[in-house]
């Protein structure tokens, strides 16, 4: 995957898997925080937009603008959205667990896509029913994607 910061500088493009967490704290400075493999990677403050709580504008793997562009090149697995900011200790713990953690009982969970249905739109496995939609014909793959 190609992970970039706000200046469009790439962090990584080497074919490895990365644990990426983004938090958006709208209280006190509108801070967008990025964690990569359990550590702080980047942050931006003073954003001029607010999250309304609606999933209608949530996009994973693409730039969320009127053109819905900037699709990632790579693979995605285990995407979760929360209506509360997870702190650095939570992020580090999730990363250090070493395996995908079942987040269905986590507080604030509003969408959880495990991408295990094999075809069709992503199914939300939280209790919120925020099933996804696919854009630009992405596909599913099965089996182990890495040899360790």
């Amino acid at each position: 995957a190609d992970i970039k910061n706000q200046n469009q500088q790439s962090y990584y493009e080497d074919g490895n898997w990365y644990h990426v967490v983004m938090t958006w704290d709208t209280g006190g400075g509108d801070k967008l925080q990025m964690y990569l493999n359990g550590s702080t990677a980047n942050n931006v403050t003073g954003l001029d937009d607010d999250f309304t709580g609606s999933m209608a504008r949530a996009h994973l793997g693409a730039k969320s603008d009127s053109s819905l562009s900037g699709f990632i090149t790579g693979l995605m697995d285990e995407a979760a959205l929360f209506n509360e900011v997870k702190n650095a200790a939570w992020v580090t713990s999730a990363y250090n667990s070493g395996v995908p953690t079942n987040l269905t009982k986590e507080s604030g969970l509003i969408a959880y896509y495990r991408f295990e249905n094999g075809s069709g739109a992503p199914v939300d496995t939280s209790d919120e029913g925020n099933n996804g939609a696919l854009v630009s014909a992405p596909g599913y793959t099965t089996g182990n994607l890495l040899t360790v």
Side-chain angles (χ1 to χ4, degrees):
D2 185 4
I3 302 167
K4 297 182 179 182
N5 66 16
Q6 76 269 19
N7 297 320
Q8 296 302 302
Q9 297 167 319
S10 290
Y11 280 114
Y12 298 95
E13 285 187 70
D14 60 7
N16 291 314
W17 281 97
Y18 294 94
H19 182 261
V20 180
V21 175
M22 303 288 292
T23 64
W24 184 1
D25 187 354
T26 59
D30 271 345
K31 183 177 182 181
L32 181 67
Q33 179 77 48
M34 177 180 168
Y35 298 90
L36 189 61
N37 293 339
S39 300
T40 300
N42 200 4
N43 66 64
V44 178
T45 58
L47 300 171
D48 61 357
D49 201 359
D50 288 318
F51 180 67
T52 63
S54 169
M55 293 294 293
R57 289 186 57 204
H59 300 94
L60 300 173
K63 186 185 218 179
S64 181
D65 60 13
S66 60
S67 66
L68 193 60
S69 61
F71 296 100
I72 65 166
T73 302
L75 303 171
M76 182 185 303
D77 194 17
E78 299 285 327
L81 299 168
F82 297 87
N83 64 3
E84 64 185 34
V85 176
K86 298 300 183 183
N87 63 29
W90 185 93
V91 172
T92 300
S93 176
Y95 174 70
N96 286 336
S97 71
V99 295
T101 303
N102 186 339
L103 301 172
T104 54
K105 301 300 179 199
E106 283 288 326
S107 67
L109 184 67
I110 58 173
Y112 188 24
Y113 307 106
R114 301 191 78 175
F115 302 111
E116 293 178 350
N117 48 307
S119 66
V123 175
D124 177 12
T125 58
S126 77
D127 292 332
E128 301 298 317
N130 289 309
N131 293 326
L134 300 177
V135 177
S136 192
Y140 286 86
T141 189
T142 59
N144 294 330
L145 301 175
L146 292 177
T147 303
V148 180

